[in-house]
Amino acid sequence: MKPNITLIGMPSSGKSTIGVLLAKRLGYSFVDVDILIQEREGRLLKEIIAQAGLKGFLQVEEQVNASLAVKRSIIAPGGSVIYGEKAMRHLKEISEVVYLKMSYEELERRVGNVVDRGVALKPGFTLRDLYDERVPLYERYADIIVDEEGCCRPGETVDRLRALIEDRKAQDKEAEGKKVRDKRAVIQFS
C-alpha cells in the first residue's frame, strides 16, 4: 500500500467531506489541493479561471499536484486533475487513487452553481458533456472505485473504504513484494 490516498471524482462527489473523515479515522493529514492552489495564487479558483483562462488554470493545477510531497495524507485534488498527465502520474506514484463514482443525476442534484464552485468547464460544455468526458479518465486512473450509487451517508462510504484499505495493507504484508492482489477494487452499496 502506498503512503497516501488520493480521492478523485466529479465536483460534489464528496472528495473533501469523505477525505476529512477518512483522514481522521486513519490518523492521516488532509490535503485540499484547491485550497493550496488558492493560497499559492492569492485568488479564488473562479478568479484564476476568469483571469488565466481554463488552460492557465489547468497548468497551475497540474504544477501544484505534480509537486505534492506528503506522507500519510488523504489528498483531495480538484475534479479536473485528471487532465494533467504529469500530475496524475505523480499522484499514482505516491498514493492509492480512489475514484468516488456517482451518477450524472446525482451530480446534477448536488453541484449547484458550477462557476461559483470554480469548476473547470470548457467553453460551450454542459455539465453532461463534462461528466461524459471525465468519467473514462477517472476510471482509467483509479486503483479503487467507490460506486456511491445507493449510498447517501459519507460515514458509510468512509467505513467501507477504510475496511478495504486496511484489508489491502494486510494483503501487502502477506505478499511482501509480490504483485498478487487485483489492480482495482470496487466498492458498491446495495
Side-chain angles (χ1 to χ4, degrees):
M1 183 92 188
K2 295 173 186 164
N4 302 297
I5 297 162
T6 296
L7 302 176
I8 61 173
M10 293 297 292
S12 298
S13 62
K15 296 180 297 288
S16 296
T17 302
I18 290 167
V20 167
L21 293 172
L22 187 60
K24 286 180 179 181
R25 294 202 187 147
L26 294 175
Y28 281 27
S29 296
F30 177 72
V31 178
D32 186 319
V33 180
D34 285 347
I35 291 173
L36 292 178
I37 292 169
Q38 289 181 158
E39 287 174 352
R40 178 186 138 169
E41 295 296 306
R43 302 178 280 173
L44 297 174
L45 297 180
K46 66 182 182 180
E47 294 170 341
I48 299 168
I49 293 169
Q51 295 165 8
L54 180 59
K55 186 177 178 183
F57 169 76
L58 292 175
Q59 287 173 342
V60 169
E61 181 181 48
E62 183 167 31
Q63 289 169 357
V64 172
N65 280 290
S67 66
L68 286 176
V70 295
K71 285 201 169 129
R72 293 183 49 81
S73 294
I74 306 298
I75 303 165
S80 55
V81 67
I82 41 90
Y83 296 129
E85 195 172 311
K86 182 179 175 187
M88 286 309 302
R89 193 170 42 248
H90 176 67
L91 290 171
K92 285 196 64 73
E93 285 173 7
I94 68 166
S95 65
E96 296 287 325
V97 177
V98 177
Y99 168 35
L100 300 177
K101 180 179 179 178
M102 64 187 203
S103 68
Y104 173 73
E105 293 72 26
E106 184 64 14
L107 168 67
E108 197 173 42
R109 189 180 71 73
R110 289 185 193 181
V111 79
N113 183 330
V114 292
V115 173
D116 195 49
R117 285 185 59 94
V119 175
L121 197 60
K122 294 176 184 175
F125 252 46
T126 65
L127 190 58
R128 182 68 199 210
D129 294 332
L130 187 71
Y131 181 86
D132 291 343
E133 179 180 75
R134 287 186 180 180
V135 165
L137 295 170
Y138 293 136
E139 290 177 352
R140 181 173 86 188
Y141 287 117
D143 297 309
I144 299 168
I145 297 174
V146 178
D147 188 344
E148 296 182 295
E149 192 67 32
C151 175
C152 55
R153 287 189 357 252
E156 188 177 354
T157 299
V158 170
D159 289 342
R160 291 196 184 187
L161 187 52
R162 178 182 175 196
L164 178 63
I165 290 164
E166 289 173 352
D167 183 50
R168 281 190 161 203
K169 284 180 182 179
Q171 286 177 11
D172 286 352
K173 277 187 179 180
E174 285 178 29
E176 283 304 310
K178 295 178 187 173
K179 302 282 182 186
V180 284
R181 71 174 155 88
D182 290 337
K183 178 195 177 290
R184 184 175 305 181
V186 177
I187 299 173
Q188 293 195 324
F189 296 86
S190 50

